[in-house]
Amino acid sequence: MDFPGLAERTGHFRHGAPHAVTVGADGRRVAFLRSTGPEDPVASLWVLNVATAAESLVAPGPLASYATDRDACVAAFARAGRLFRADLVRGTVAEVPTDEPAEDPRPDPRGGNIGYVSRQGGSPSLRVVGPDGDRLLAGESGNAWREHCGTIGWGVPDETARRFGRDRGWWWSPDGSQILAARTAASTSLHLLDLDFGWVDVHWDRETYPHVVSVRWADGGGPLITVLRRMQQHGLVLAVDPRTGETQVHAELADARWVEPVAGTPRHLPDGRVLVGGELAHDGFDARCLFADGSLLTPPGLYVRRVVGTVPRPGSPAPDLVVEGTDDDPATQSVFRVRTSLGGGGAEARKVTEAPGWHHAHTGGDVLVVDDVVWRGEARVAALGNLAMPLPYAPSPVLERVTDRRLPAAVLYPAVFVGGTKIPVLVTLGDGPGHQQVVNDPAAWQERQWWADAGFAVVSIDGRGTPGVAPSYEKVVHRRLVDVALSDQVDALRALQGKHPDLDLNTVAVRGTGVGGWLAAMAVLRRADVFHRGVARNPVVDWHDEPPVLAERYLGDHRDSADVYTHHTLHGAEPTDALLLIGAELPGLPSRPTATLAEELAFLQDRS
């Protein structure tokens, strides 16, 4: 099988699969994107009518993204700068004339006006088009900011925001009368903009808390924002008064290493309480939890990854939260319903997905979409049509927990491997610490099965620094990332050999990308007694060159941690022909600007 070519043609087997799912707040429609087949990269906009379980094509592609009003009656999308409005009830599409090229269009919650970002002139501005025409709501000319040789952007996230997972720069109010917009220059500020051109600044200590990590304004109350100090060790959850822009502290987030907010929080619950994600680290507990005005809502044994939304709870006026998380095995992500009502019995979470896997959910009204299956209450409505190519491999990785630290690990053998024969080992580091590899998801093992069938026992180890186990497990790498990460890889390899005696630890290769590429290079350079050959694709070379939000999370402030940064750099590495750098160059080390998987394989199979 030409797996690399097949994976490229099929978008790694995602072309043809439904994605970007949106459920209307009234539960009547489910909108999503999907292409026409496994080798078609062009996605179109589709709608499932929940009452009839019928799918209909609304807007042929290409569509990269779209946004809807509250009930998914209206959708807006841009194509080559042209703005389109789709009626998801009637299934019609009309172009909306605009004065400037549009991107990131979003209808207001009632579907009347459409806001969009324009980059005409080089400086992003925020505009609104509707019955009153096309109007500039906020923007400044490209040469307005000279102090830092840059431009002022309205309605767009900066690189720091994207690193935190905030990929938006503006938000409609629930009634569609205001927009909360980010203004990005030397720092980020927030502003409340009325459609009649009124203007209110949002007030908080921006010098102390410069990072705007999350913004939400969709639950009937005022805006909720999360801001962090530069070093990410302290943050505030703030409620914003939409009339005055004044803020009130609802919660403080603190950690001696770094704060890790829970995706999907903060948000208002229907009874007015504010839901906040945090960590429980006392009385023997070590968990990522949810709190409502200080009351614990989730059991300490549930590691919360994301809050999806709410669904009605039978017999109760208070809804259930829908949460993605892990309750035992970090390789499995399940969907849970969490009780929000106050009462006896303590925190309560009921698992919705029984089969092990890596599950995702979307909600709206009384509709819950789990993976591709649409549910209304306890009734199964339909499954969204999936036209993706079936996965070519049926991998069976052996999942383990090894060493006294219970490191999640997996071993994947060639499909035709016969036990009793020593086999070379390939350690895959993926994108490195911060990204799980040992997951119960067949799609995640397709490329690794190709590597295995090329003659390796593929080993993946989620050492400390990886999410999914516990907050302390993830954060113990602070300021000593390379030492902890390499130690866990080495210890896990040796422990695995006891369970898998066919592993030939005299022939160990390693590969990774990004931070994982940096760790692969460090493995060959610093632990050549264990790792004998390696490929580092687009590795971090010098942490000083990385975005501060990433470097400071792991290594601290470079101004008082020069020795830590020096200890983690690839500069000054001893010459060796056992390491191939792709997309980076260092004296004495083989390097290439780019390389195919086949070229990587040839290098790693050269065991001379």
Side-chain angles (χ1 to χ4, degrees), residues 40-368:
D40 179 13
V42 178
S44 302
L45 178 61
W46 294 76
V47 168
L48 174 82
N49 185 309
V50 175
T52 64
E55 291 182 4
S56 57
L57 173 64
V58 176
L63 270 79
S65 63
Y66 71 99
T68 72
D69 64 349
R70 179 186 295 110
D71 292 334
C73 294
V74 172
F77 60 91
R79 184 184 290 146
R82 298 162 61 193
L83 175 62
F84 294 87
R85 182 183 189 274
D87 187 323
L88 301 183
V89 179
R90 296 179 176 84
T92 59
V93 179
E95 184 172 358
V96 179
T98 59
D99 294 342
E100 296 185 2
E103 64 179 67
D104 190 26
R106 298 179 182 274
D108 71 45
R110 298 178 178 179
N113 293 298
I114 299 176
Y116 70 91
V117 172
S118 172
R119 295 182 184 268
Q120 185 163 294
S123 181
S125 60
L126 189 58
R127 305 181 67 90
V128 173
V129 60
D132 297 329
D134 189 341
R135 300 175 292 161
L136 173 67
L137 204 60
E140 298 167 61
S141 61
N143 61 2
W145 176 33
R146 294 186 178 277
E147 180 182 353
H148 294 275
C149 301
T151 59
I152 294 174
W154 279 91
V156 294
D158 59 9
E159 178 59 28
T160 296
R162 294 184 185 279
R163 290 280 179 170
F164 282 115
R166 178 171 67 81
D167 57 0
R168 296 181 56 181
W170 66 280
W171 301 263
W172 282 106
S173 65
D175 64 2
S177 66
Q178 286 179 292
I179 284 177
L180 177 62
R183 177 183 184 269
T184 303
S187 61
T188 297
S189 56
L190 295 174
H191 308 269
L192 290 154
L193 312 175
D194 295 332
L195 296 193
D196 60 4
F197 302 107
W199 178 300
V200 173
D201 298 333
V202 177
H203 302 287
W204 82 94
D205 186 351
R206 292 194 293 118
E207 185 174 344
T208 302
Y209 299 93
H211 296 321
V212 182
V213 175
S214 66
V215 177
R216 182 175 176 85
W217 197 6
D219 306 304
L224 293 171
I225 65 175
T226 302
V227 295
L228 293 182
R229 290 178 180 264
R230 174 179 167 175
M231 299 311 299
Q232 306 171 52
Q233 295 168 336
H234 191 269
L236 302 174
V237 175
L238 303 173
V240 181
D241 187 326
R243 298 167 302 168
T244 65
E246 297 300 324
T247 56
Q248 175 186 354
V249 177
H250 261 290
E252 293 191 41
L253 309 173
D255 191 280
R257 290 77 50 99
W258 71 80
V259 167
E260 186 71 43
V262 174
T265 65
R267 65 171 65 212
H268 282 105
L269 296 177
D271 60 8
R273 289 177 297 163
V274 174
L275 182 74
V276 175
E279 296 171 0
L280 197 60
H282 60 79
D283 295 335
F285 295 119
D286 186 8
R288 281 166 59 82
C289 304
L290 298 176
F291 301 85
D293 284 358
S295 299
L296 180 66
L297 290 187
T298 51
L302 174 59
Y303 181 101
V304 178
R305 298 177 184 270
R306 184 173 79 100
V307 176
V308 178
T310 60
V311 290
R313 182 181 179 89
S316 173
D320 283 345
L321 285 172
V322 176
V323 169
E324 295 169 352
T326 297
D327 63 347
D328 182 25
D329 180 7
T332 296
Q333 177 170 285
S334 303
V335 177
F336 298 84
R337 292 178 66 129
V338 176
R339 185 182 66 183
T340 62
S341 59
L342 297 174
E348 176 187 304
R350 179 172 66 87
K351 188 181 294 186
V352 175
T353 50
E354 294 299 333
W358 199 261
H359 300 288
H360 299 276
H362 309 272
T363 62
D366 60 348
V367 170
L368 172 63

Side-chain angles (χ1 to χ4, degrees), residues 511 535-539 580-585 590-596 599-600:
R511 67 183 297 268
V535 170
R537 184 178 286 272
N538 300 320
L580 173 64
L581 299 179
I582 301 173
E585 292 186 13
S591 64
R592 297 181 185 175
T594 60
T596 65
E599 290 171 327
E600 285 190 50

